[in-house]
Amino acid sequence: MLRFWRKSKSESELPEVLGITIGRAVTVDAISVKLLPKDSLITVPQLTFSIVAQGHCDLGEQSHLHRFYPDDDSVLLQIQGGDGVTDERVDEIMLWSYYDVQYPSTDRQWRDIRRSICQTTFTLPSSEGEVVFERAWFGSSDQPEEPMQYWEKVSEDRSGAAGRKIFQSAMLFARELSDGEDEMLLVNMEEVEGTNERSVAFMLGRSLSQHELHI
């Protein structure tokens, strides 16, 4: 078994996932970005970025999300697998590009967006016109489905002692590009615990392999 994950030195210290944690620089392989087809909406403005914050979501059933936020807030690196401490499993690596972030000012706007992501398709406006994505979760259902919900703890300190909790309601969509690969759309509705802050992030993602990341 390949042991990509390093154990943290203490229970409170943030885990390193594939050697990635706060304070490390990550470089995405240039070829993987250059080979994105012309019909992709993903934008990666720089290939090397420094990690300044780290998030963790316990999805249950021994599945975890580890999110790494760079100093350039246009992208997000996400790794799904085990807990990063006792379970070294890596199931998926995604590079997300922020396409848009909205800040609904009324409850009605918030409810309308939530209702829209429950549907079987989601339409994203672009400079080339409207782009339609098919719902990737609940693929066997042709009815509206409730979004997945989970808490993410985000820390900006390597010790993991300080941080904030964000409640998220999310739905995943996908469309096939001209190269036969899927481009993913994650619509993430975020509410910061203890505040009135809430926002909706529209992120476009592409799967990466471990060898396409350099630490």
Side-chain angles (χ1 to χ4, degrees):
M1 176 180 178
L2 297 177
R3 297 186 176 276
F4 291 136
W5 295 30
R6 301 179 185 176
K7 293 179 173 56
S8 55
K9 296 179 181 179
S10 68
E11 290 184 359
S12 62
E13 186 177 357
L14 296 175
E16 298 178 16
V17 186
L18 300 180
I20 307 170
T21 189
I22 292 175
R24 301 278 172 82
V26 180
T27 300
V28 178
D29 186 77
I31 295 179
S32 63
V33 175
K34 289 180 180 180
L35 291 180
L36 286 171
K38 291 184 178 180
D39 54 341
S40 173
L41 298 177
I42 295 176
T43 300
V44 182
Q46 61 185 50
L47 297 176
T48 299
F49 41 83
S50 298
I51 303 302
V52 297
Q54 183 170 334
H56 171 253
C57 307
D58 186 344
L59 302 178
E61 299 182 354
Q62 298 181 333
S63 184
H64 297 258
L65 288 182
H66 300 273
R67 288 173 170 164
F68 301 92
Y69 297 88
D71 47 2
D72 177 359
D73 60 5
S74 64
V75 296
L76 165 66
L77 180 64
Q78 175 178 290
I79 299 175
Q80 183 169 348
D83 62 9
V85 180
T86 60
D87 185 349
E88 300 175 345
R89 188 181 76 256
V90 174
D91 297 328
E92 182 182 66
I93 304 172
M94 294 288 296
L95 180 66
W96 295 102
S97 168
Y98 282 87
Y99 186 77
D100 188 21
V101 179
Q102 298 179 7
Y103 301 90
S105 59
T106 67
D107 290 340
R108 180 176 179 178
Q109 291 175 330
W110 184 260
R111 289 194 301 269
D112 286 346
I113 294 174
R114 193 181 192 283
R115 189 179 301 111
S116 71
I117 68 173
C118 296
Q119 309 307 312
T120 57
T121 62
F122 190 90
T123 301
L124 198 65
S126 76
S127 59
E128 303 298 323
E130 295 185 336
V131 180
V132 179
F133 289 78
E134 303 283 338
R135 192 173 63 202
W137 289 338
F138 312 103
S140 61
S141 171
D142 59 0
Q143 302 296 317
E145 298 288 348
E146 290 296 303
M148 291 188 63
Q149 296 182 317
Y150 45 81
W151 285 96
E152 179 183 16
K153 180 181 178 182
V154 180
S155 300
E156 298 179 3
D157 189 305
R158 180 69 182 90
S159 69
R164 56 180 183 160
K165 293 182 66 179
I166 305 172
F167 183 69
Q168 303 181 26
S169 301
M171 187 63 78
L172 184 68
F173 300 86
R175 69 180 181 120
E176 186 176 346
L177 298 180
S178 57
D179 63 353
E181 299 293 328
D182 283 340
E183 181 169 79
M184 313 305 294
L185 168 65
L186 181 67
V187 184
N188 214 41
M189 305 183 72
E190 306 177 1
E191 302 172 81
V192 181
E193 183 183 46
T195 73
N196 293 322
E197 295 180 41
R198 59 185 183 183
S199 60
V200 184
F202 299 83
M203 294 182 285
L204 296 165
R206 183 94 165 182
S207 296
L208 294 177
S209 60
Q210 191 268 337
H211 73 267
E212 292 176 294
L213 294 178
H214 308 282
I215 315 305

